[in-house]
Each structure stands twice: as C-alpha cells, then as structure tokens.
Amino acid sequence: MLNATVISQILWTSLATSSYFVLFALAFALVLKVNKVFNFAQAGMMTCGFYAAYVAVRVVGLPGPAGFIAALAGGAAMAFVLERFGFSVLRHRKASPMFVFIFTLVASQFITYAMTMIFGTWPTTIFASMFWPVTLVADVAVSAWDIPAILATVAVLSGLWAFLRFTRYGQFMIAVADNADLAELYGIRKDRVLMVSMLIAGLICGVGMFLYGTRAQVQPAAATELMLFAVAATILGGIGNLWGAALAAVVLGVVQNSSILFIPSAWQGFLLYAFLFFAIVLFPSGFRLPERSKALKRTVAAPVIAADGKGG
Amino acid sequence: MDYVYTILILIGLFVILASSFDLVIGHCGLISIAHPIFYAIGAYVSAMLAKEGGMPIPLAMLAGGAAAFAASVLVALPSLRVSGDYLLIASIGFQLGLIEFAKHIHSIGGAGGLTNIPPFLVNTYGRVSYVLLVLAIALLTVLFVRWLTRGPYGRMMAAMRDDELAFSMLGRNAIWVKVSIFAIGSGIAGIAGGLYAHYFRFLEPDQFGLLQSSAILTMVVVGGMRTTLGPVIGAIVLQILPQAITFFGLPPSILGPLQGLMFSGLVLVFMFARPQGLLAAPDIWAGRDSKERRDG
Amino acid sequence: MTNRTMTGLSIGRRTALALVLLSATSGLALAQQASLKFGLAMPLTGGQALYGNDQVKAAQWAVDEINKAGGINGKKFEMVVLDTQADPQVGIQAVNRMISVDKTPVFITAWSGVVKAVAPIANDNKIVELSVGANAPDIAKLGDYVYTTFPLADVDIRAVAAYSAKEMGKKKAAVLFINNETGIGSAEVYRDTFTKSGGQVVAYEAYDQKATDFTGPLLKIRASNPEIIHLQGLVSESPQVIAQARQLGITVPITSYSGIYNPKLIEQLGAAAEGVIATSLAPGVEDSPAVKTYVERWVKEVGRPPNGLPYTQYLYDSPYLVAAVFASLDKKGTPITGENFRKEMLTIKTFDLPLTGKVTFADDHTVNKPVYLVEVKGGKWTGKAVVNK
C-alpha cells in the first residue's frame, strides 16, 4: 500500500482538489482581514456563483467559458448585495460584531432557502458530464480537470497579490485592514474600499465554485460544508494572514487525504475538527473578533492574571 | 391531541433553550452559538444512563445537565482566558467536532441515531403529565434567569458588559463570572436535552448542528435579547408559525423552503427594521459598541 | 429503573383503565370520522426531496386512479401528505399531526431514520406504520404496528453479493461504503454474504458523509486488487466515486444497490458508467407491460423517467394495498381503526399489486421479493438477471 505511486497519487489529487478550498479560504480570510467580518454569508456568494454558471451552461446552453463568467458575476453580485444592503447599513448603525455575525449566518440561510425554492434540492453539476479524462504521468492519474484547476488557483493567488501590492485600491485595502479609522482620516473612502474587498471575495468564490461544480455535484446546502473548511483553514492559517489561510487550506486538504494511509477512512472527516481543536488549544494567541480587538487587548490582560491568581 | 401536546412540549423545550441561551449571549454578552451541543450532551448522557445504566430517569436527566455544565466549563475556561471572542470559534469547533465524533461511536447509535430511549411519565401518567413537567421547568428557567439577572449577579454582568476594564479594575474576576454564567446556561440546556430524549425517544447527532443553533438564535433575536419574556415569545412564535403553515395546504415542494425562507427572512427584517426584537431591552445592540468607540 | 417499575405497579390499574377509555374514545372518533384517509410522510424538501417528491407523485397517481375507478366501495379515498425532510424530528411532528389532526389509521413513510423515530408513536397509538422504501434490517424489529412492504437491505445486498460470487465467479471483492447507518449495515451484509458464498473481501473501506474526494479509499481498494467492487453510497456522491474509480484506472465491475439506479448516472459518467451494476427490487420496463406504461406516463407528463424508479413503483402500489384493506373493512362494516387495519391486513396477508407484483407479509414483519439486477451496457440500463431466493 505504501508505495511511491500511491503516495504521489494521493499527494497530487489532494493538491488538485485543494484548489477550490484555497480559493474559499482566501475569500473568507480577505473579508475577515479587510472588512473585519466573519462572513458566513460567503456560503450564499458561493451558491449564487454556482447556480449562475449552472443556469448559463445547463439552462441557457451557453459554452463553458460563458459559464465561468456567469459564476464570477453570480458571486460578485451576491457580494454586492450583501455589502450594499447588509454590512454597510449595519456599519453605519454601529452594530456590534455579534450582530453582524448573526446577520451573516441568517443571510446565508436565507440565500440557501431561496435557491432551494428556485432550483430544488437536486444535486447537479455545471456540465452534464462530470467525468474528466485522465492521462497517466509516471503511473499517477492526472485528470483533465486537475491542471486547469491548479493554474486557475495560482492565477487568482498571484492576481490578488499583485492587486494588493501594486494598485491604489489594493493599498487602500491594506490601510483599511490595518486601521480603518486612521485610513479614513487620510482620506480613504472606507465604504468604497470595503465594497471592493467584498467584490473580490465574490469573484474568488465564483472561480472556486466553478471549479468545484465541474467535478462534483452541488445542491443549495452544499456550500455551507465547503465554507466550514475555509473557516477552519483561516483559523489555522492565522487570522488576518491571507497567504497563511491559503497555505493552511492546502495543508489541510493534503493531510486529510493522506491520513487514509494511517487511519480508517471513515475518520477522515473528523480530522478537520481535530485540527481546529488543536489549533485552538495550542495557538491560543490566535484570534479575536476584529472591530473590538484593541479594546479587548486592553481589557483581557488584567482578568487573565486575576484568573490565574484565584483559579490556579 | 398528541399533536398539540407535542407542540406544547417543543415550545416548552425551546423556551428553556432560548432563555438559557439569552442568559449566555444576551445578558452575559458571550458570543457562542454552540448552545445545541450542550442540549445534545444532556440528551445523550441522560438517554444512555437510563437505557444502558438503568438509572432512574429524573436522576439521569440531572446527570445530563451536570455533564453539559462540566463540558461547557471545559470549553469556556481555556478560550475565555484568551479572549471573549475566541469562544465563538472554540465552541463552534467543539459543537461540530463532537457531532462528527458521535457519528462514529456505535454504542450511542452512531450516525443512524439512538432509538428506544426509555420513556418517562407518558406511559404511566399520560402525555399531559409530561407537558406539565416541561412547562413547569420552562417556567422555572424563565424565573431563574430573571432572578439571576436582576440580582447582584445581574448587576455584575451588566457592569462587565458595559466596561470590562473598569469591572476588572474593581477587582472583580470577569472570567469567573463569564465561565459560571456560560456553564449555568449550558447546564440548563443539558436538562432540556434530557427532557427531549425521554419524550421523543430518538436522538440523532445531526439534529444538534448549526441549523439548531440558528433556530435558537432566531428565537432570541426575534423575541428580544436581554429581556425576560423576549425569548419566551420568540420560542412560541417560531414553534407555532411553521406548524401553522402546514395547515395552509400549499404545494409541498414550496412548503419546506418557504418555511425556511420566511424564518430567515423574518430575522433579516427584524435585524434591520427592529433590531431590538419584539420586546426591547434598552440600547441592546448599539450601546456597548459606541461606548467602546468613544474609549478607543 | 426501579423507580419506574414501582410507579408503574402502584398506578398500573388506573392507567390501564384510562388507556382503555382513551383508546376507546379515540377509536370512536376515528370510526365517526369514517375517513378513508391514509397518511404519507415523505421528504418533500431537503437533500432527499428529489426522491421524495417523485414518490409522492406516484402515490398521488395511484390514489387518483383508485378514485376514478369508483373509490372504495363508492367512497372517496384520500391521501394526506406531510413533509419529513427525511429528518427524524420533523418526521415525529408530521406523524403526530397526522394522527391527531387527520386521524388516519395508517400511514406510509420512508427513510430509515424517520421510520425508526416514529415507530414508538405508531405503536403507542395503535396506528399502522407502513415503511415503503427504507431498508435498514432492524426495521423488522420496531414493534407490532410497524410493517414494511419493501424488502429490507439484506434482501438485495445479499442477492448482489451472492450473484457476484456464484454466478459471476468473482473471488475477491472490495467494499466501499458511506459512513452512515444504511451504509454500515449494508456493507456488513455484503461482506458476510460474499464470504459465505465462497469469496473473500479484500478491502473494506468507509468514507465520510462530507467527503468531496475519494482518492484515498479508492487507492486502498486498488492496492487490494479486487475483481469486483461493491459501492454503498448515496445518490449525491456515488457518481463522483465511480468517476474517480475509473480515473484511477479501476476497471473492474462496480455493483451497488437500488439507490444509484437512475438515468442521470449515465449522463454524468458517460463511458465510465459501463459495467456498473445496480439492483432493483421491482420489475423493470422489460419485465412488465404495466411498468412500461407507467414509465411512458412519466416521460409524457413530467418529461423524464422518475428518480429511483423502483421506489416510485412501490409508492404507486402502496395506496392500492391500503385501499384493499379499507375496502375489506368497509364491506364488513368494521370500524376503520389502526387496530382493525392491522388485523385485516394480516388476514388478507397477500396482495397482488399493479407495479411490483405479489407481496406477502411474513410473521417476522419482513417481505421477500425477487431482486432484479440491472447493468449499464452500451450507455443504457439493461436487465442482467433476476435473483430469486
């Protein structure tokens, strides 16, 4: 069982399938970093991206590339709606982070139900066929889906990097992520920057769902499961670190898949939570809900000492 | 009548869950949506103790509550010592992980669920007695939460919510208050779990997932956070509405998603049009945050 | 435990009396309502709705046919449909509603979790629960009022395992199953039967319900070099599992159960679907002209064949079974209660139904049926064999 072919096959396929997880984690981490929101409504953006592509290809009968554009448009459109009518309204009302979080959770469910009304619960794929031909490379099966998926992911990663590094809006996004109030003092229009960040996340979700939906069946509730993986990767990869989240998604995917060599396959799914648990226990310096982070740093220090004194 | 009794019992159970959840998220300001997992722990522990251990059911239910209490301390203590918000992720991880774990344990029924849980009261005194028991415990829970939040403990929680720094400067131990409230709320949910298990006599890990979380959350938000009657009204409204819809005779393919759409839609409407819920607690959503902004 | 027994003893007599009174009154209520109604609790929403909705449609057609042909001794035959979402708790509520609001003496339901969860309600209220489609083997042991008209998992899985070992001459089989109740139970049945029939199970792998990639378990199976693979999954991921198996160069026949027997599989997998063998517990288009007409009706009215054709055949037939019992009770003038329904159903014992043939209720709450094996050949599902036990 443990020979070179098996190991390289597992590594290759899990690398290829981690492509969409990387994208979902990236979108989640971006919104968390810039918009300071745990955006569980990302599942809604993902669902919209998928069904936009589905309608374009399966219902209207457009060719694949048009379906890809549709997926991008679907993801971005939902991102726009969420930001324009949700987050921005709540922000101006100075709603608490908990309130915003609840909003994302409920919005995500609302979108799922709406999609169920429209499309039913049939699991379906973007193309009628979900079988991709394979080529053997040194005994490792490489499917026609693998290479484009990896290339698309690399393209998105480098595109985002270049955007953040070299464009004005990219720099604005980083400034807002660092200190939104300060950025505003310097004349950066925060609302617009946050909208751009959401739209980018929507586009990334569109790419990810197009990849996923051409390989596996999707139904309205599927995106939530996929997103939880992204949440775990984001937490593992370090909050506020986009590339860390992306890397964590790859590592998680590969480890989860290769775990089959050491543990019964039924337990593979559980591994994700085991990781999450260890991340929480071992890296407790980790994470704060943004927005309030400054206030909390201050407030938390004292009680920790107090707790040590009394409890220990 | 069984139908009405079952709905009354569900209402009672959700009043218990919503009130105890409001204690945690509303009154104490702890961000966690993992309430159903403590409900699950109570249900499974009680069911197993009664079914396999032959323990008298009331004792088993209390043990279920105690198990939920203990488990919640284990989750809350490490995460709250880091930061209040860490609890959210830690508890979601705990919730989903434990559900996944339970699916793999055959002795508690695994993913297929635990059946033939011994019944309580119903076979000897009839269903009404169980309805009365659940409603009585629901009433007790509401009164207990009210007493807790209006007394010295409540003032402590309010002070802590409003300004944690000042609170800890006074020498008060914020972590201790938080952990104990979280544990009390979770313990109550555990008892509700026992009540569920011995009436419905069937448990399944999946029923305690995120969907259940948002159902309870919805009840609290729609009813009105940090009020005594808010969660009660939320639980009643959100239990009765979906039942009522089934009487309209809509085509079934729309009925299911329509229910979900109505509930999530209802919450969205509330969040934007009446964020304080049906019953309003003063300054519920904006208070703390605007204060922090001024400080920061 | 002691506590319960004691209270049980001390008030036993009073309760018994109350129960008698209660059941007498509720029986009376049922008789007065004289409803020739039965309940149908199916997943109309949620992940399983694609099957549930088609099954409800089939049952509705049957009810309409029965009424068109004069109903039950001239009385209208009615069906009350409620959604279970294939979720036990929702199922419990639905059945409670059915029993107390619609007062049906009998209801039909499916999906193992729901069938099990509502069994105590059926037994406590003396209402007959007919499980049509769920196949977990322990359904036979749920209580006096729970019957199935559908053969349980051991029947078709046993048939496919024995057929693979004996008729196809396969010596080494691999089993791949989803880690849920039906998956685990059926995989065990397959393993035991295949071994008993002289074969050897060389790999026995489960995958998680949320898995999106199956490379690992499939490689383990490939390494064990089986001559045949049995896949026990759900409709949502099974096509992808087969696709990945073929991509990894696994070309041996793949058997499964009735779940994957639908036309969509071939559309999704193309040539990769060749050699996939499914079971069907009902006669197919080629076996019965009635089924042929039935499928043609689907294509004409809905524009496609039904999802899970055999299940819809059973659902189409179940109102006929209920109607036959109702008719017999009605003719005798016996009040139509759950208790009488059960007695009458067991007295009639054997029913001849339009789309699935004869069904006989055995004393151990099971039914036995021939198993039809179908195989994808030349891009079409074609009959392969009929296994009679």
Side-chain angles (χ1 to χ4, degrees):
Chain A
M1 181 66 202
L2 265 176
N3 61 42
T5 313
V6 167
I7 292 172
S8 31
Q9 179 73 63
I10 287 185
L11 287 180
W12 171 255
T13 311
S14 43
L15 185 73
T17 47
S18 66
S19 58
Y20 44 78
F21 284 131
V22 167
L23 295 173
F24 301 145
L26 204 59
F28 194 82
L30 179 72
V31 173
L32 180 61
K33 184 183 164 78
V34 179
N35 304 46
K36 312 288 183 210
V37 171
F38 263 84
N39 183 18
F40 273 48
Q42 180 175 322
M45 288 149 61
M46 288 157 64
T47 313
C48 278
F50 172 79
Y51 279 104
Y54 170 79
V55 167
V57 176
R58 294 292 283 284
V59 181
V60 184
L62 298 175
F68 181 70
I69 307 275
L72 294 182
M78 186 40 74
F80 175 84
V81 171
L82 285 170
E83 168 62 24
R84 176 69 186 74
F85 302 104
F87 294 134
S88 112
V89 175
L90 293 177
R91 211 160 42 235
H92 289 126
R93 196 192 277 169
K94 300 197 191 315
S96 72
M98 170 167 57
F99 194 87
V100 177
F101 174 69
I102 294 174
F103 164 73
T104 68
L105 210 63
V106 178
S108 160
Q109 282 193 333
F110 184 81
I111 298 166
T112 304
Y113 286 122
M115 289 298 162
T116 312
M117 281 275 268
I118 303 170
F119 296 102
T121 42
W122 259 106
T124 187
T125 42
I126 292 175
F127 298 120
S129 163
M130 58 187 280
F131 186 81
W132 294 87
V134 286
T135 327
L136 280 185
V137 181
D139 273 350
V140 171
V142 176
S143 96
W145 179 89
D146 295 352
I147 304 268
I150 293 174
L151 288 181
T153 305
V154 171
V156 169
L157 278 168
S158 32
L160 182 63
W161 180 80
F163 181 82
L164 292 179
R165 187 89 173 69
F166 300 117
T167 65
R168 265 166 64 81
Y169 261 103
Q171 307 260 297
F172 288 172
M173 276 162 72
I174 292 175
V176 170
D178 284 346
N179 189 332
D181 294 334
L182 197 64
E184 237 176 352
L185 281 182
Y186 280 104
I188 295 176
R189 292 178 61 184
K190 193 172 90 180
D191 278 338
R192 202 177 270 186
V193 171
L194 295 181
M195 173 61 95
V196 170
S197 141
M198 275 296 283
L199 288 177
I200 293 177
L203 292 174
I204 298 176
C205 285
V207 179
M209 279 316 273
F210 186 81
L211 292 179
Y212 185 77
T214 49
R215 184 178 174 279
Q217 302 199 90
V218 177
Q219 41 127 333
T224 313
E225 295 287 346
L226 293 173
M227 185 194 58
L228 284 179
F229 194 96
V231 177
T234 307
I235 292 162
L236 282 173
I239 307 294
N241 183 348
L242 297 181
W243 322 118
L247 186 67
V250 178
V251 172
L252 259 182
V254 172
V255 169
Q256 203 175 30
N257 266 325
S258 31
S259 66
I260 180 96
L261 302 169
F262 317 107
I263 60 168
S265 40
W267 286 91
Q268 271 184 302
F270 181 64
L271 217 61
L272 176 65
Y273 300 106
F275 266 104
L276 202 56
F277 186 76
F278 282 115
I280 289 163
V281 173
L282 298 179
F283 309 105
S285 59
F287 127 90
R288 269 153 245 119
L289 262 191
E291 195 90 8
R292 297 165 53 194
S293 54
K294 267 181 301 161
L296 268 165
K297 239 178 245 161
R298 211 160 42 93
T299 51
V300 159
V304 167
I305 299 162
D308 279 339
K310 268 187 191 169
Chain B
M1 273 316 274
D2 282 2
Y3 173 58
V4 178
Y5 292 151
T6 304
I7 291 179
L8 283 175
I9 283 171
L10 280 172
I11 288 175
L13 289 173
F14 278 103
V15 166
I16 300 173
L17 288 171
S19 290
S20 56
F21 186 51
D22 188 29
L23 179 66
V24 172
I25 197 172
H27 292 287
C28 198
L30 295 173
I31 308 182
S32 155
I33 55 161
H35 213 52
I37 198 62
F38 302 110
Y39 182 44
I41 291 174
Y44 268 98
V45 167
S46 178
M48 287 305 287
L49 285 177
K51 191 181 173 203
E52 305 296 333
M55 190 185 268
I57 289 170
L59 273 186
M61 285 177 178
L62 288 176
F69 183 94
S72 67
V73 173
L74 286 180
V75 177
L77 205 54
S79 37
L80 281 175
R81 285 171 65 134
V82 178
S83 96
D85 303 320
Y86 207 60
L87 181 66
L88 170 66
I89 292 303
S91 59
I92 290 184
F94 179 71
Q95 178 184 17
L96 299 179
L98 200 62
I99 288 173
E100 196 64 28
F101 188 72
K103 286 188 197 166
H104 289 81
I105 306 301
H106 283 278
S107 51
I108 59 166
L114 182 64
T115 44
N116 284 327
I117 298 165
F120 181 53
L121 290 179
V122 173
N123 288 357
T124 39
Y125 293 94
R127 275 174 211 278
V128 185
S129 61
Y130 210 91
V131 174
L132 293 177
L133 174 72
V134 171
L135 293 184
I137 293 179
L139 182 67
L140 277 179
T141 306
V142 173
L143 291 177
F144 174 72
V145 170
R146 185 186 143 101
W147 170 78
L148 198 63
T149 51
R150 299 227 166 148
Y153 228 94
R155 283 195 292 278
M156 266 206 288
M157 282 190 281
M160 189 181 68
R161 247 184 0 243
D162 291 341
D163 197 334
E164 192 172 324
L165 183 61
F167 182 78
S168 45
M169 290 297 187
L170 286 171
R172 307 280 187 170
N173 191 332
I175 296 280
W176 188 82
V177 174
K178 285 178 177 177
V179 171
S180 57
I181 290 294
F182 189 70
I184 290 171
S186 306
I188 295 174
I191 290 179
L195 289 169
Y196 179 91
H198 296 284
Y199 183 79
F200 289 98
R201 297 162 64 187
F202 179 82
L203 298 172
E204 201 192 33
D206 267 334
Q207 75 190 84
F208 302 103
L210 287 180
L211 225 67
Q212 183 82 275
S213 292
S214 51
I216 302 174
L217 188 63
T218 305
M219 290 170 189
V220 175
V221 171
V222 169
M225 231 183 222
R226 223 186 287 162
T227 57
T228 305
L229 285 179
V232 178
I233 290 173
I236 295 174
V237 168
L238 286 161
Q239 266 305 310
I240 289 183
L241 267 185
Q243 303 290 344
I245 298 177
T246 62
F247 285 88
F248 289 163
L250 292 169
S253 56
I254 321 184
L255 188 63
L258 188 66
Q259 280 185 9
L261 209 58
M262 277 187 46
F263 292 117
S264 45
L266 194 66
V267 183
L268 287 178
V269 167
F270 264 92
M271 294 191 88
F272 288 91
R274 196 177 161 80
Q276 64 275 43
L278 283 170
L279 299 179
D283 236 13
I284 179 77
W285 288 110
R288 174 176 49 158
D289 200 62
S290 46
K291 185 174 254 167
E292 266 170 25
R293 264 162 202 281
R294 265 181 276 125
D295 299 344
Chain C
M1 206 56 198
T2 42
N3 190 19
R4 261 188 308 132
T5 330
M6 269 168 57
T7 47
L9 279 177
S10 60
I11 65 130
R13 193 168 295 170
R14 208 157 21 119
T15 324
L17 192 71
L19 272 177
V20 167
L21 269 172
L22 219 131
S23 56
T25 45
S26 61
L28 206 67
L30 284 177
Q32 280 168 347
Q33 298 261 326
S35 58
L36 295 176
K37 271 190 206 165
F38 73 99
L40 182 64
M42 285 285 171
L44 305 169
T45 57
Q48 300 298 313
L50 64 145
Y51 284 124
N53 282 316
D54 280 8
Q55 294 177 11
V56 170
K57 193 176 208 55
Q60 189 61 55
W61 280 357
V63 172
D64 294 346
E65 290 294 323
I66 293 168
N67 279 327
K68 226 185 279 168
I72 294 165
N73 304 333
K75 290 180 188 140
K76 196 166 176 240
F77 185 43
E78 271 181 81
M79 174 168 93
V80 181
V81 185
L82 284 172
D83 186 13
T84 65
Q85 297 174 18
D87 174 304
Q89 197 192 328
V90 181
I92 289 170
Q93 274 172 272
V95 170
N96 269 320
R97 181 190 190 280
M98 212 172 256
I99 288 175
S100 50
V101 178
D102 304 299
K103 302 193 189 334
T104 64
V106 52
F107 66 92
I108 294 162
T109 187
W111 275 263
S112 301
V114 177
V115 171
K116 282 187 192 174
V118 302
I121 310 176
N123 290 323
D124 290 355
N125 292 285
K126 295 195 171 27
I127 298 291
V128 175
E129 172 182 359
L130 285 177
S131 159
V132 185
N135 64 352
D138 50 352
I139 284 174
K141 302 179 193 86
L142 289 178
D144 281 349
Y145 279 82
V146 185
Y147 285 86
T148 173
T149 69
F150 189 83
L152 302 178
D154 37 334
V155 176
D156 62 334
I157 307 297
R158 210 170 271 155
V160 81
Y163 185 85
S164 308
K166 288 179 182 154
E167 310 300 324
M168 295 172 74
K170 304 294 181 193
K171 292 278 164 276
K172 293 194 296 180
V175 185
L176 179 60
F177 59 98
I178 187 168
N179 191 40
N180 69 13
E181 169 124 49
T182 324
I184 295 166
S186 307
E188 279 167 6
V189 171
Y190 185 94
R191 184 183 56 193
D192 297 346
T193 317
F194 193 78
T195 318
K196 227 183 277 166
S197 310
Q200 186 198 354
V201 172
V202 289
Y204 194 69
E205 289 296 320
Y207 58 82
D208 189 79
Q209 295 187 51
K210 290 183 203 123
T212 61
D213 183 76
F214 309 92
T215 312
L218 284 169
L219 285 176
K220 261 190 165 171
I221 284 173
R222 191 176 75 177
S224 71
N225 229 348
E227 292 163 26
I228 193 162
I229 296 170
H230 182 73
L231 168 66
Q232 191 77 37
L234 294 179
V235 65
S236 40
E237 84 284 340
S238 287
Q240 201 199 339
V241 178
I242 298 171
Q244 283 198 290
R246 297 302 190 221
Q247 285 171 339
L248 290 170
I250 302 173
T251 51
V252 298
I254 296 176
T255 60
S256 190
Y257 67 122
S258 37
I260 66 159
Y261 179 34
N262 70 53
K264 225 182 142 207
L265 185 86
I266 298 170
E267 188 193 358
Q268 286 173 327
L269 296 179
E274 290 296 305
V276 171
I277 298 167
T279 67
S280 167
L281 289 156
V285 177
E286 295 159 14
D287 309 298
S288 144
V291 177
K292 191 156 183 262
T293 326
Y294 168 76
V295 176
E296 276 161 6
R297 180 172 175 191
W298 268 95
V299 175
K300 206 176 115 211
E301 290 186 22
V302 190
R304 59 171 171 83
N307 300 310
L309 169 65
Y311 293 101
T312 69
Q313 284 169 250
Y314 275 91
L315 256 296
Y316 181 90
D317 278 359
S318 49
Y320 280 95
L321 190 151
V322 173
V325 180
F326 275 172
S328 170
L329 285 172
D330 186 58
K331 210 182 279 170
K332 290 180 190 165
T334 320
I336 297 185
T337 65
E339 244 174 318
N340 291 336
F341 186 97
R342 173 172 176 272
K343 253 185 247 158
E344 196 63 24
M345 183 177 84
L346 296 180
T347 314
I348 302 176
K349 204 169 168 82
T350 300
F351 296 82
D352 200 2
L353 301 170
L355 295 184
T356 58
K358 278 200 172 65
V359 59
T360 305
F361 288 97
D363 293 335
D364 61 353
H365 290 238
T366 62
V367 291
N368 214 333
K369 289 275 206 182
V371 177
Y372 300 81
L373 296 186
V374 283
E375 183 178 17
V376 180
K377 244 190 189 159
K380 259 175 66 186
W381 284 108
T382 43
K384 186 175 174 71
V386 184
V387 184
N388 272 301
K389 212 174 63 173

